[in-house]
Amino acid sequence: MSQTKSYPMWRMRLRRGAQAFALSKQGESCLAWDARTGTPISPIIVWQDARTTDRCPQIAKTATNHVATIARLPVTPYFSASKLGWIMENIPQAAAIATAGHLRLGTTDVFLRDRLTGRFETDVATASRTSLMNLQTGQWDADLRALFGVPINCLPKIGDCSGDLGAVDDLPLVTALGRPASGPVWPWGHPSRADQIHLWHRGLCPAVCRAAMPSSGTWGAANGYLA
């Protein structure tokens, strides 16, 4: 487990009486880091980065239907899978650290949670946007990982979007979510794993889930509502 650091500025910025905090971030940007030190060994490859533009069509020629069936996503540089595969292919240090068992790969939320709480985890909604998760099982898929060249022992544990997600200076992290394209999220209650996958992955306008559960919604380019 990487060592977490003390963040004086974090404590100074907290309002007196705060009982918990949440994490919202851009979901597809990703990087690699050394688990022993927490030091990044790659740049943050943002969602707009097109470095895998040539590779994705090659994958798509033989695996478009496969990816669409398991991950329910198109093969495109937008999602994190091809970016993480690029890191493994193009950064020699990544392969060496992976062989030693100390490489960590993930989206930016994983890095922040690892460094802040000491827990190498992501939420199921963010994982569903990588092209590496089986949407039926809610776990990393072996075929997809092999297709994009991403080793399993370098990926975080997939967990819920809300609940006991760790703590920083005894302040609990209770929610971790991807940010919609043009607006924040207002959660009422604690949306379930299925809620979040439906909202973020389907992107319906509006999207409605009629199961008996609390409501959540977004406004903006990813307009949606769950009730």
Side-chain angles (χ1 to χ4, degrees):
M1 178 182 295
S2 63
Q3 297 179 354
T4 56
K5 298 180 180 179
S6 177
Y7 295 90
M9 290 298 293
W10 167 272
R11 293 194 295 271
M12 290 171 59
R13 290 172 183 268
L14 288 176
R15 290 186 177 183
R16 183 174 298 176
Q19 297 180 358
F21 76 102
L23 175 65
S24 179
K25 76 291 174 192
Q26 197 288 319
E28 284 77 24
S29 300
C30 58
L31 70 158
W33 64 100
D34 191 324
R36 296 166 294 186
T37 63
T39 303
I41 64 166
S42 77
I44 294 177
I45 306 177
V46 301
W47 62 280
Q48 296 167 309
D49 193 287
R51 72 185 65 202
T52 61
T53 298
D54 293 337
R55 185 182 182 215
C56 284
Q58 298 172 4
I59 296 175
K61 286 182 180 179
T62 57
T64 293
N65 292 337
H66 188 67
V67 177
T69 299
I70 299 176
R72 301 290 182 182
L73 292 173
V75 179
T76 167
Y78 178 87
F79 300 112
S80 305
S82 66
K83 300 181 180 73
L84 296 174
W86 183 93
I87 290 173
M88 295 305 302
E89 288 184 353
N90 293 276
I91 298 181
Q93 189 179 3
I97 296 176
T99 300
H102 303 298
L103 181 67
R104 290 189 168 170
L105 298 171
T107 44
T108 52
D109 65 300
V110 182
F111 178 74
L112 291 172
R113 291 174 65 176
D114 184 41
R115 302 301 294 137
L116 288 171
T117 71
R119 287 168 57 167
F120 184 46
E121 300 174 359
T122 190
D123 65 273
V124 69
T126 300
S128 76
R129 299 285 291 175
T130 62
S131 292
L132 294 172
M133 193 190 86
N134 186 313
L135 209 62
Q136 295 297 318
T137 66
Q139 299 299 322
W140 303 120
D141 185 83
D143 291 338
L144 295 179
R145 289 189 292 99
L147 182 65
F148 289 99
V150 180
I152 182 59
N153 62 334
C154 301
L155 292 173
K157 176 183 176 182
I158 299 176
D160 290 335
C161 301
S162 61
D164 177 12
L165 306 183
V168 180
D169 294 332
D170 298 322
L171 189 71
L173 172 63
V174 296
T175 300
L177 295 170
R179 179 183 62 83
S182 63
V185 177
W186 287 268
W188 299 287
H190 295 283
S192 71
R193 293 162 64 103
D195 284 354
Q196 296 304 331
I197 290 179
H198 187 82
L199 177 61
W200 299 109
H201 204 56
R202 299 276 302 179
L204 302 180
C205 305
V208 178
C209 178
R210 300 189 179 280
M213 56 187 70
S215 301
S216 66
T218 68
W219 287 264
N223 291 333
Y225 177 74
L226 292 174

